[in-house]
Amino acid sequence: MPIDILMPALSPTMEEGKLAKWLKKEGDQVKAGDIIAEIETDKATMEVEAVDEGVLAKILVPDGSENVAVNTPIGIIAAEGEDVSAAAAADPAKINPAAPAPAAEAPRQEAAAPTAPAEEAPAAGKPASVPAQAKAYDASSEFPAGAEIVSMTVREALRDAMAEEMRRDQDVFVMGEEVAEYQGAYKVTQGLLQEFGAKRVIDTPITEHGFAGIGVGAALSGLKPIVEFMTFNFAMQAIDQIINSAAKTLYMSGGQMGCPIVFRGPNGAAARVAAQHSHDYAAWYSNVPGLKVVMPYSASDAKGLLKSAIRDPNPVIFLENEIMYGKSFDVPKGDDFLVPIGKAKVVRPGADVTIVSFGIGMTHALGAAEALAQEGIDAEVIDLRTIRPMDIETVIASVQKTHRCVAVEEGFPQSGVTAEIGMRIMEAAFDYLDAPVARVTGKDVPMPYAANLEKLALPNVGEVVAAAKAVCYR
Amino acid sequence: MAVAARQSKAPAPSKAAAKPAKARSAKEGAGQAAPAPSNVTPFTKDEDLHAYREMLLIRRFEEKAGQMYGMGLIGGFCHLYIGQEAVVIGMQMAAKEGDQVITGYRDHGHMLACGMESRGVMAELTGRRGGYSRGKGGSMHMFSREKNFFGGHGIVGAQVSLGTGLGFANWYRGDNTVSMTYFGDGAANQGQVYESFNMAELWKLPVVFVIENNRYAMGTAVNRASAQTDFSRRGVSFNIPGEQVDGMDVRAVREAGQRAIAHARSGKGPYILEMQTYRYRGHSMSDPAKYRSKDEVQRMREEHDPIEQVRARLIREFKVAEDELKAIDAKVREIVNDAAEFATHDPEPDASELYTDILLEPAQG
Ligand SMILES: Cc1ncc(C[n+]2csc(CCOP(=O)(O)OP(=O)(O)O)c2C)c(N)n1
Ligand SMILES: [Mg+2]
């Protein structure tokens, strides 16, 4: 079977070039690897090697031809004794129908078509596929029926979630700075070393980029690491492994390489620790396909969501908050309590205005709802719980009822999570709104150290109340 | 004599770090590590008096900061330098005007050693407008362009690349200054340290890497985090020379510092000094300190205290009267009390400061 020699590309962007010179004549014997021609572009020169052995049956494009398109047949190699005249006479395109069409652009356009699954972000510019009457997720049955309810801190809930999952699955292990002997810089891993031993509760050196990568590698091979960052500020050292390795490998491997890993630790402002230790990364990670991003507020959500995160076959960014660690909430007893990732929760039903937040932002949202009740405004408060995938439908269902929305976060305003919430509401429920969506965020400044400035930099109940009144025109 | 004999011991190995510390002293026997203090160039009386006063200022300042933290005047993290004073003072005695200093968050001592005002440092700790960062940076993030102090950095290891960049700028300008880049034994494991080592040697940048090995990174003893606990050898694969130094002896620090700085300044490239030192206090103010024994701390204080060593020398060798030392003590306390007073009463920054210093205006034209 005669084989086409195609005009090769010297670089990913090359579209055409010059066939400078043939180094073999028609009728010459060629072996695989023999250099048969030279081609040129304005940037470089390259030698063309024969890919098979046989006879150079026909030269289709002569020496010195300019503007030869990549993938054009430039010659034909035939087997010894083969009827080269027939090959030479044939239409090049028919001789080698398998020659790839120069259609690299085509699939890219297709990918932009609005075929995104309902839960994921709709393609740019396309309205979200939220039904005309959205349905809120019903979290009322999350607590198992008849389960004993105990009060525990967020810290204890996180610890129990890890301990239960480590008992259940030998592949789960914890690594991070000071997680073992010191019992956790914030005591979240208290007692784990004693119960599970040093092989499964591992103190690392201060080498975030390295141990995050080691965690991702272990996850690619099937283990289920929980990587603790002492705070998410330090995950900045490791963010390349989180984004480029953990988030993208499943896609790049065509679905072969799942990465079941949890990156967790305190996120956002603590108290008076200034700009390098106070950053809220919710919006950052929420920007990345291939990650799930969870940011619980209550202890029960912390527990139920962390257990789901550990069982999840995907990389999950689990954002905690130092100030919340010591706060107590009702939590159902028992190992089988799970909270699904990707579902928001209506924590306070109301009719007049929707306040949506997540993580520590919920303290401002709930505080504002109380204060607004005093003034006769009945706020519905939604805890997003998961940032990505975002349960916008529960928010929309609420907005269809209240027609007003205030979104609250401690992070920065530009490209923040509340910016996303506002946009998604506009895309899906613009006609339901009686006022523009308002947001209350951290101020657009690095976190200052001084006590008075730090207070000004963070959102507070008063700002949420004011925003709620503004959207109610009160 | 008794004092000198005591000084000849490297800091006693801790229980937690027993193994690597022993291995190190075996090497010391082979003449690889810290030069025996008997070979250390003695200080003149004036030098000892200077070192005494400077180290005492840091000690008293840090004690006061600890008290003020307890009173709620200082917030957030506050990492004290008590015990490590000889390192930065010895190095500054070896440096010359114009050389830069950069370090991590355990930075109060470095700032005082660079000649920054006690008032301005303390007022930054309390978050007041008279602080070096006008209250915006706090304990971990303070700077003084005037004194060539480039911070004050909260991210462990980040200052190592930055300090290498200071060295790069020195090389670029050919201005004969040296960057003194300080970091801890814990920071020494960060990847960017080695990326920086490689470039520093490759381009022969004038940087002295000062590793303050105080044996612990938070609650982690050196041997639990480091495969190579001889930090002076951390540059071996890049051909960077290194030494282990008794970082509790200010004379040993200065002498090693002079060697390292001369090497860097003469265009031969970077140099690594592992300062074997010890922090007496917790990592920061909220440290349960269960990772080491009280005995260990006590032994260090009693047998290796950098200030006591100088004090004893001043009395025994230079016959300085107790009264003269007391006068220095009183003077230092006065400076520190004044700083505390200032930092307590200085007002907080104006609210408008929230939105300043985020970006600079580009120059016109
Ligand atoms: C990148 C990063 N990871 C973790 C931390 C938290 N942290 C602050 S100090 C410290 C220990 C550093 O120890 P070492 O380098 O030995 O310095 P020392 O505190 O002993 O002076 C840790 C883990 C941080 N600030 N930055
Ligand atoms: Mg240390």
Side-chain angles (χ1 to χ4, degrees), chain A residues 359-401:
Chain A
I360 194 170
M362 285 299 294
T363 55
H364 314 307
L366 288 168
E370 294 268 301
L372 289 164
Q374 305 294 313
E375 305 190 35
I377 297 176
D378 183 20
E380 174 148 304
V381 181
I382 295 177
D383 182 352
L384 218 45
R385 306 195 292 187
T386 301
I387 315 292
R388 181 187 190 96
M390 189 182 281
D391 179 9
I392 202 68
E393 186 166 354
T394 293
V395 178
I396 299 292
S398 176
V399 170
Q400 285 175 337
K401 184 171 68 174

mmCIF file of all heavy atoms in Angstrom, chain A residues 359-401:
data_model
loop_
_atom_site.group_PDB
_atom_site.id
_atom_site.type_symbol
_atom_site.label_atom_id
_atom_site.label_comp_id
_atom_site.label_asym_id
_atom_site.label_seq_id
_atom_site.Cartn_x
_atom_site.Cartn_y
_atom_site.Cartn_z
ATOM 1 N N GLY A 359 -19.972 29.767 55.646
ATOM 2 C CA GLY A 359 -18.871 29.851 56.597
ATOM 3 C C GLY A 359 -19.164 30.882 57.676
ATOM 4 O O GLY A 359 -20.319 31.095 58.075
ATOM 5 N N ILE A 360 -18.116 31.579 58.096
ATOM 6 C CA ILE A 360 -18.278 32.533 59.202
ATOM 7 C C ILE A 360 -19.180 33.704 58.801
ATOM 8 O O ILE A 360 -19.752 34.379 59.672
ATOM 9 C CB ILE A 360 -16.919 33.032 59.712
ATOM 10 C CG1 ILE A 360 -17.099 33.746 61.061
ATOM 11 C CG2 ILE A 360 -16.236 33.918 58.683
ATOM 12 C CD1 ILE A 360 -15.816 34.062 61.766
ATOM 13 N N GLY A 361 -19.374 33.924 57.508
ATOM 14 C CA GLY A 361 -20.296 34.954 57.042
ATOM 15 C C GLY A 361 -21.697 34.731 57.590
ATOM 16 O O GLY A 361 -22.482 35.676 57.742
ATOM 17 N N MET A 362 -22.011 33.474 57.910
ATOM 18 C CA MET A 362 -23.325 33.148 58.464
ATOM 19 C C MET A 362 -23.578 33.846 59.799
ATOM 20 O O MET A 362 -24.728 34.106 60.154
ATOM 21 C CB MET A 362 -23.454 31.630 58.643
ATOM 22 C CG MET A 362 -23.673 30.883 57.345
ATOM 23 S SD MET A 362 -25.184 31.379 56.506
ATOM 24 C CE MET A 362 -26.428 30.804 57.672
ATOM 25 N N THR A 363 -22.525 34.117 60.553
ATOM 26 C CA THR A 363 -22.742 34.798 61.839
ATOM 27 C C THR A 363 -23.311 36.196 61.587
ATOM 28 O O THR A 363 -24.198 36.640 62.320
ATOM 29 C CB THR A 363 -21.434 34.915 62.663
ATOM 30 O OG1 THR A 363 -20.449 35.567 61.857
ATOM 31 C CG2 THR A 363 -20.897 33.564 63.067
ATOM 32 N N HIS A 364 -22.821 36.864 60.533
ATOM 33 C CA HIS A 364 -23.352 38.183 60.212
ATOM 34 C C HIS A 364 -24.772 38.053 59.651
ATOM 35 O O HIS A 364 -25.647 38.862 59.963
ATOM 36 C CB HIS A 364 -22.464 38.896 59.195
ATOM 37 C CG HIS A 364 -20.996 38.814 59.512
ATOM 38 N ND1 HIS A 364 -20.484 39.175 60.739
ATOM 39 C CD2 HIS A 364 -19.946 38.398 58.767
ATOM 40 C CE1 HIS A 364 -19.169 38.995 60.721
ATOM 41 N NE2 HIS A 364 -18.820 38.518 59.552
ATOM 42 N N ALA A 365 -24.995 37.042 58.827
ATOM 43 C CA ALA A 365 -26.308 36.852 58.197
ATOM 44 C C ALA A 365 -27.371 36.564 59.262
ATOM 45 O O ALA A 365 -28.460 37.166 59.267
ATOM 46 C CB ALA A 365 -26.235 35.706 57.189
ATOM 47 N N LEU A 366 -27.047 35.659 60.171
ATOM 48 C CA LEU A 366 -28.031 35.285 61.204
ATOM 49 C C LEU A 366 -28.252 36.433 62.185
ATOM 50 O O LEU A 366 -29.384 36.697 62.610
ATOM 51 C CB LEU A 366 -27.570 34.021 61.938
ATOM 52 C CG LEU A 366 -27.676 32.738 61.097
ATOM 53 C CD1 LEU A 366 -26.940 31.587 61.761
ATOM 54 C CD2 LEU A 366 -29.140 32.365 60.845
ATOM 55 N N GLY A 367 -27.166 37.116 62.527
ATOM 56 C CA GLY A 367 -27.289 38.269 63.425
ATOM 57 C C GLY A 367 -28.180 39.339 62.803
ATOM 58 O O GLY A 367 -29.029 39.949 63.475
ATOM 59 N N ALA A 368 -28.002 39.535 61.504
ATOM 60 C CA ALA A 368 -28.798 40.550 60.817
ATOM 61 C C ALA A 368 -30.273 40.133 60.786
ATOM 62 O O ALA A 368 -31.167 40.966 60.976
ATOM 63 C CB ALA A 368 -28.276 40.760 59.402
ATOM 64 N N ALA A 369 -30.538 38.849 60.560
ATOM 65 C CA ALA A 369 -31.924 38.371 60.502
ATOM 66 C C ALA A 369 -32.645 38.641 61.827
ATOM 67 O O ALA A 369 -33.794 39.080 61.848
ATOM 68 C CB ALA A 369 -31.958 36.888 60.156
ATOM 69 N N GLU A 370 -31.922 38.396 62.918
ATOM 70 C CA GLU A 370 -32.491 38.682 64.252
ATOM 71 C C GLU A 370 -32.838 40.164 64.366
ATOM 72 O O GLU A 370 -33.930 40.531 64.789
ATOM 73 C CB GLU A 370 -31.448 38.390 65.342
ATOM 74 C CG GLU A 370 -31.072 36.945 65.485
ATOM 75 C CD GLU A 370 -31.953 36.262 66.519
ATOM 76 O OE1 GLU A 370 -31.949 36.728 67.680
ATOM 77 O OE2 GLU A 370 -32.642 35.296 66.146
ATOM 78 N N ALA A 371 -31.862 40.997 64.017
ATOM 79 C CA ALA A 371 -32.049 42.442 64.152
ATOM 80 C C ALA A 371 -33.180 42.922 63.249
ATOM 81 O O ALA A 371 -33.987 43.768 63.643
ATOM 82 C CB ALA A 371 -30.751 43.169 63.801
ATOM 83 N N LEU A 372 -33.249 42.370 62.045
ATOM 84 C CA LEU A 372 -34.294 42.785 61.101
ATOM 85 C C LEU A 372 -35.679 42.382 61.612
ATOM 86 O O LEU A 372 -36.660 43.108 61.421
ATOM 87 C CB LEU A 372 -34.039 42.166 59.719
ATOM 88 C CG LEU A 372 -32.831 42.756 58.963
ATOM 89 C CD1 LEU A 372 -32.417 41.840 57.810
ATOM 90 C CD2 LEU A 372 -33.148 44.161 58.436
ATOM 91 N N ALA A 373 -35.739 41.230 62.286
ATOM 92 C CA ALA A 373 -37.025 40.768 62.837
ATOM 93 C C ALA A 373 -37.573 41.796 63.814
ATOM 94 O O ALA A 373 -38.779 42.067 63.855
ATOM 95 C CB ALA A 373 -36.846 39.411 63.507
ATOM 96 N N GLN A 374 -36.652 42.410 64.585
ATOM 97 C CA GLN A 374 -37.062 43.450 65.533
ATOM 98 C C GLN A 374 -37.748 44.610 64.817
ATOM 99 O O GLN A 374 -38.585 45.287 65.381
ATOM 100 C CB GLN A 374 -35.850 44.039 66.277
ATOM 101 C CG GLN A 374 -34.989 43.029 67.000
ATOM 102 C CD GLN A 374 -35.739 42.378 68.149
ATOM 103 O OE1 GLN A 374 -36.375 43.068 68.949
ATOM 104 N NE2 GLN A 374 -35.709 41.047 68.211
ATOM 105 N N GLU A 375 -37.335 44.809 63.568
ATOM 106 C CA GLU A 375 -37.895 45.930 62.821
ATOM 107 C C GLU A 375 -38.988 45.484 61.855
ATOM 108 O O GLU A 375 -39.360 46.218 60.934
ATOM 109 C CB GLU A 375 -36.778 46.638 62.041
ATOM 110 C CG GLU A 375 -35.648 47.066 62.960
ATOM 111 C CD GLU A 375 -34.651 47.974 62.271
ATOM 112 O OE1 GLU A 375 -35.078 48.774 61.416
ATOM 113 O OE2 GLU A 375 -33.451 47.872 62.584
ATOM 114 N N GLY A 376 -39.438 44.258 62.034
ATOM 115 C CA GLY A 376 -40.563 43.784 61.235
ATOM 116 C C GLY A 376 -40.196 43.313 59.846
ATOM 117 O O GLY A 376 -41.066 43.163 58.987
ATOM 118 N N ILE A 377 -38.904 43.064 59.616
ATOM 119 C CA ILE A 377 -38.513 42.501 58.308
ATOM 120 C C ILE A 377 -38.182 41.024 58.514
ATOM 121 O O ILE A 377 -37.346 40.673 59.338
ATOM 122 C CB ILE A 377 -37.305 43.260 57.718
ATOM 123 C CG1 ILE A 377 -37.697 44.717 57.448
ATOM 124 C CG2 ILE A 377 -36.815 42.587 56.445
ATOM 125 C CD1 ILE A 377 -36.562 45.599 56.957
ATOM 126 N N ASP A 378 -38.852 40.175 57.764
ATOM 127 C CA ASP A 378 -38.752 38.734 57.930
ATOM 128 C C ASP A 378 -37.757 38.177 56.910
ATOM 129 O O ASP A 378 -38.100 37.980 55.740
ATOM 130 C CB ASP A 378 -40.163 38.145 57.729
ATOM 131 C CG ASP A 378 -40.194 36.646 57.963
ATOM 132 O OD1 ASP A 378 -39.266 36.133 58.628
ATOM 133 O OD2 ASP A 378 -41.137 36.004 57.471
ATOM 134 N N ALA A 379 -36.534 37.968 57.361
ATOM 135 C CA ALA A 379 -35.482 37.534 56.429
ATOM 136 C C ALA A 379 -35.406 36.016 56.362
ATOM 137 O O ALA A 379 -35.503 35.331 57.382
ATOM 138 C CB ALA A 379 -34.135 38.106 56.863
ATOM 139 N N GLU A 380 -35.199 35.516 55.155
ATOM 140 C CA GLU A 380 -34.893 34.088 54.976
ATOM 141 C C GLU A 380 -33.377 33.971 54.850
ATOM 142 O O GLU A 380 -32.763 34.708 54.074
ATOM 143 C CB GLU A 380 -35.570 33.558 53.709
ATOM 144 C CG GLU A 380 -35.196 32.119 53.375
ATOM 145 C CD GLU A 380 -36.343 31.374 52.693
ATOM 146 O OE1 GLU A 380 -37.454 31.319 53.273
ATOM 147 O OE2 GLU A 380 -36.133 30.860 51.586
ATOM 148 N N VAL A 381 -32.777 33.078 55.653
ATOM 149 C CA VAL A 381 -31.319 32.961 55.628
ATOM 150 C C VAL A 381 -30.920 31.619 55.038
ATOM 151 O O VAL A 381 -31.392 30.570 55.487
ATOM 152 C CB VAL A 381 -30.721 33.129 57.042
ATOM 153 C CG1 VAL A 381 -29.202 33.026 56.981
ATOM 154 C CG2 VAL A 381 -31.130 34.469 57.636
ATOM 155 N N ILE A 382 -30.057 31.672 54.036
ATOM 156 C CA ILE A 382 -29.579 30.446 53.389
ATOM 157 C C ILE A 382 -28.082 30.298 53.622
ATOM 158 O O ILE A 382 -27.309 31.230 53.396
ATOM 159 C CB ILE A 382 -29.858 30.485 51.871
ATOM 160 C CG1 ILE A 382 -31.373 30.502 51.641
ATOM 161 C CG2 ILE A 382 -29.218 29.293 51.175
ATOM 162 C CD1 ILE A 382 -31.748 30.620 50.180
ATOM 163 N N ASP A 383 -27.702 29.120 54.075
ATOM 164 C CA ASP A 383 -26.288 28.777 54.226
ATOM 165 C C ASP A 383 -25.893 27.964 52.991
ATOM 166 O O ASP A 383 -26.362 26.842 52.801
ATOM 167 C CB ASP A 383 -26.094 27.948 55.506
ATOM 168 C CG ASP A 383 -24.633 27.605 55.753
ATOM 169 O OD1 ASP A 383 -23.786 27.882 54.869
ATOM 170 O OD2 ASP A 383 -24.335 27.065 56.843
ATOM 171 N N LEU A 384 -25.036 28.533 52.189
ATOM 172 C CA LEU A 384 -24.635 27.881 50.936
ATOM 173 C C LEU A 384 -23.906 26.559 51.192
ATOM 174 O O LEU A 384 -24.015 25.610 50.440
ATOM 175 C CB LEU A 384 -23.734 28.851 50.168
ATOM 176 C CG LEU A 384 -23.842 28.927 48.662
ATOM 177 C CD1 LEU A 384 -25.270 28.968 48.169
ATOM 178 C CD2 LEU A 384 -23.086 30.170 48.181
ATOM 179 N N ARG A 385 -23.114 26.502 52.240
ATOM 180 C CA ARG A 385 -22.362 25.323 52.672
ATOM 181 C C ARG A 385 -21.306 24.852 51.676
ATOM 182 O O ARG A 385 -20.155 24.627 52.034
ATOM 183 C CB ARG A 385 -23.292 24.158 53.049
ATOM 184 C CG ARG A 385 -24.329 24.541 54.083
ATOM 185 C CD ARG A 385 -24.972 23.333 54.698
ATOM 186 N NE ARG A 385 -25.806 22.600 53.756
ATOM 187 C CZ ARG A 385 -26.586 21.571 54.099
ATOM 188 N NH1 ARG A 385 -26.585 21.139 55.361
ATOM 189 N NH2 ARG A 385 -27.327 20.961 53.217
ATOM 190 N N THR A 386 -21.710 24.636 50.430
ATOM 191 C CA THR A 386 -20.747 24.299 49.373
ATOM 192 C C THR A 386 -20.670 25.483 48.419
ATOM 193 O O THR A 386 -21.703 26.011 48.015
ATOM 194 C CB THR A 386 -21.205 23.055 48.596
ATOM 195 O OG1 THR A 386 -21.327 21.961 49.498
ATOM 196 C CG2 THR A 386 -20.209 22.690 47.508
ATOM 197 N N ILE A 387 -19.457 25.879 48.059
ATOM 198 C CA ILE A 387 -19.298 26.995 47.124
ATOM 199 C C ILE A 387 -19.284 26.451 45.687
ATOM 200 O O ILE A 387 -19.747 27.087 44.768
ATOM 201 C CB ILE A 387 -17.968 27.748 47.381
ATOM 202 C CG1 ILE A 387 -17.747 28.005 48.860
ATOM 203 C CG2 ILE A 387 -17.920 29.046 46.587
ATOM 204 C CD1 ILE A 387 -18.688 28.970 49.485
ATOM 205 N N ARG A 388 -18.669 25.283 45.525
ATOM 206 C CA ARG A 388 -18.600 24.676 44.198
ATOM 207 C C ARG A 388 -18.775 23.182 44.319
ATOM 208 O O ARG A 388 -17.984 22.581 45.043
ATOM 209 C CB ARG A 388 -17.252 25.001 43.555
ATOM 210 C CG ARG A 388 -17.131 24.433 42.170
ATOM 211 C CD ARG A 388 -15.736 24.616 41.600
ATOM 212 N NE ARG A 388 -15.786 24.257 40.192
ATOM 213 C CZ ARG A 388 -15.939 25.119 39.207
ATOM 214 N NH1 ARG A 388 -15.989 26.387 39.456
ATOM 215 N NH2 ARG A 388 -16.021 24.687 37.974
ATOM 216 N N PRO A 389 -19.743 22.513 43.692
ATOM 217 C CA PRO A 389 -20.771 23.125 42.864
ATOM 218 C C PRO A 389 -21.765 23.903 43.719
ATOM 219 O O PRO A 389 -22.088 23.484 44.830
ATOM 220 C CB PRO A 389 -21.437 21.928 42.194
ATOM 221 C CG PRO A 389 -21.195 20.787 43.104
ATOM 222 C CD PRO A 389 -19.897 21.049 43.779
ATOM 223 N N MET A 390 -22.227 25.022 43.180
ATOM 224 C CA MET A 390 -23.071 25.921 43.968
ATOM 225 C C MET A 390 -24.548 25.564 43.782
ATOM 226 O O MET A 390 -25.020 25.431 42.651
ATOM 227 C CB MET A 390 -22.818 27.363 43.505
ATOM 228 C CG MET A 390 -23.476 28.408 44.393
ATOM 229 S SD MET A 390 -23.176 30.073 43.751
ATOM 230 C CE MET A 390 -21.501 30.360 44.316
ATOM 231 N N ASP A 391 -25.248 25.401 44.878
ATOM 232 C CA ASP A 391 -26.680 25.073 44.827
ATOM 233 C C ASP A 391 -27.466 26.365 44.612
ATOM 234 O O ASP A 391 -28.153 26.852 45.511
ATOM 235 C CB ASP A 391 -27.074 24.387 46.137
ATOM 236 C CG ASP A 391 -28.547 24.032 46.179
ATOM 237 O OD1 ASP A 391 -29.230 24.168 45.132
ATOM 238 O OD2 ASP A 391 -29.010 23.613 47.253
ATOM 239 N N ILE A 392 -27.381 26.888 43.406
ATOM 240 C CA ILE A 392 -28.037 28.165 43.142
ATOM 241 C C ILE A 392 -29.550 27.984 43.125
ATOM 242 O O ILE A 392 -30.306 28.926 43.394
ATOM 243 C CB ILE A 392 -27.491 28.797 41.837
ATOM 244 C CG1 ILE A 392 -27.746 30.306 41.825
ATOM 245 C CG2 ILE A 392 -28.074 28.153 40.602
ATOM 246 C CD1 ILE A 392 -26.943 31.080 42.850
ATOM 247 N N GLU A 393 -30.005 26.763 42.876
ATOM 248 C CA GLU A 393 -31.451 26.557 42.775
ATOM 249 C C GLU A 393 -32.149 26.863 44.103
ATOM 250 O O GLU A 393 -33.237 27.458 44.119
ATOM 251 C CB GLU A 393 -31.778 25.134 42.311
ATOM 252 C CG GLU A 393 -33.277 24.999 42.071
ATOM 253 C CD GLU A 393 -33.697 23.755 41.301
ATOM 254 O OE1 GLU A 393 -32.819 23.012 40.823
ATOM 255 O OE2 GLU A 393 -34.912 23.547 41.189
ATOM 256 N N THR A 394 -31.528 26.480 45.185
ATOM 257 C CA THR A 394 -32.134 26.777 46.489
ATOM 258 C C THR A 394 -32.201 28.289 46.716
ATOM 259 O O THR A 394 -33.173 28.797 47.278
ATOM 260 C CB THR A 394 -31.324 26.074 47.605
ATOM 261 O OG1 THR A 394 -31.485 24.658 47.441
ATOM 262 C CG2 THR A 394 -31.801 26.471 48.988
ATOM 263 N N VAL A 395 -31.170 28.984 46.260
ATOM 264 C CA VAL A 395 -31.166 30.451 46.392
ATOM 265 C C VAL A 395 -32.258 31.052 45.510
ATOM 266 O O VAL A 395 -33.023 31.925 45.942
ATOM 267 C CB VAL A 395 -29.786 31.032 46.007
ATOM 268 C CG1 VAL A 395 -29.801 32.555 46.106
ATOM 269 C CG2 VAL A 395 -28.699 30.435 46.897
ATOM 270 N N ILE A 396 -32.357 30.562 44.289
ATOM 271 C CA ILE A 396 -33.357 31.086 43.342
ATOM 272 C C ILE A 396 -34.766 30.851 43.887
ATOM 273 O O ILE A 396 -35.628 31.748 43.840
ATOM 274 C CB ILE A 396 -33.210 30.408 41.962
ATOM 275 C CG1 ILE A 396 -31.828 30.686 41.376
ATOM 276 C CG2 ILE A 396 -34.336 30.853 41.016
ATOM 277 C CD1 ILE A 396 -31.574 32.096 40.981
ATOM 278 N N ALA A 397 -34.993 29.654 44.417
ATOM 279 C CA ALA A 397 -36.323 29.336 44.956
ATOM 280 C C ALA A 397 -36.705 30.362 46.012
ATOM 281 O O ALA A 397 -37.849 30.819 46.094
ATOM 282 C CB ALA A 397 -36.326 27.926 45.545
ATOM 283 N N SER A 398 -35.721 30.749 46.819
ATOM 284 C CA SER A 398 -35.978 31.723 47.871
ATOM 285 C C SER A 398 -36.238 33.113 47.278
ATOM 286 O O SER A 398 -37.166 33.816 47.684
ATOM 287 C CB SER A 398 -34.781 31.760 48.823
ATOM 288 O OG SER A 398 -34.949 32.757 49.791
ATOM 289 N N VAL A 399 -35.430 33.477 46.292
ATOM 290 C CA VAL A 399 -35.578 34.802 45.677
ATOM 291 C C VAL A 399 -36.913 34.905 44.941
ATOM 292 O O VAL A 399 -37.546 35.962 44.909
ATOM 293 C CB VAL A 399 -34.387 35.092 44.735
ATOM 294 C CG1 VAL A 399 -34.642 36.340 43.894
ATOM 295 C CG2 VAL A 399 -33.107 35.248 45.540
ATOM 296 N N GLN A 400 -37.365 33.796 44.366
ATOM 297 C CA GLN A 400 -38.679 33.809 43.693
ATOM 298 C C GLN A 400 -39.794 34.101 44.701
ATOM 299 O O GLN A 400 -40.849 34.598 44.350
ATOM 300 C CB GLN A 400 -38.903 32.473 42.975
ATOM 301 C CG GLN A 400 -38.059 32.372 41.697
ATOM 302 C CD GLN A 400 -38.142 31.016 41.010
ATOM 303 O OE1 GLN A 400 -38.466 30.006 41.663
ATOM 304 N NE2 GLN A 400 -37.853 30.988 39.724
ATOM 305 N N LYS A 401 -39.504 33.796 45.957
ATOM 306 C CA LYS A 401 -40.485 34.050 47.015
ATOM 307 C C LYS A 401 -40.334 35.463 47.597
ATOM 308 O O LYS A 401 -41.310 36.186 47.771
ATOM 309 C CB LYS A 401 -40.256 32.999 48.113
ATOM 310 C CG LYS A 401 -41.231 33.020 49.254
ATOM 311 C CD LYS A 401 -41.033 31.790 50.170
ATOM 312 C CE LYS A 401 -39.709 31.856 50.916
ATOM 313 N NZ LYS A 401 -39.530 30.778 51.904
#
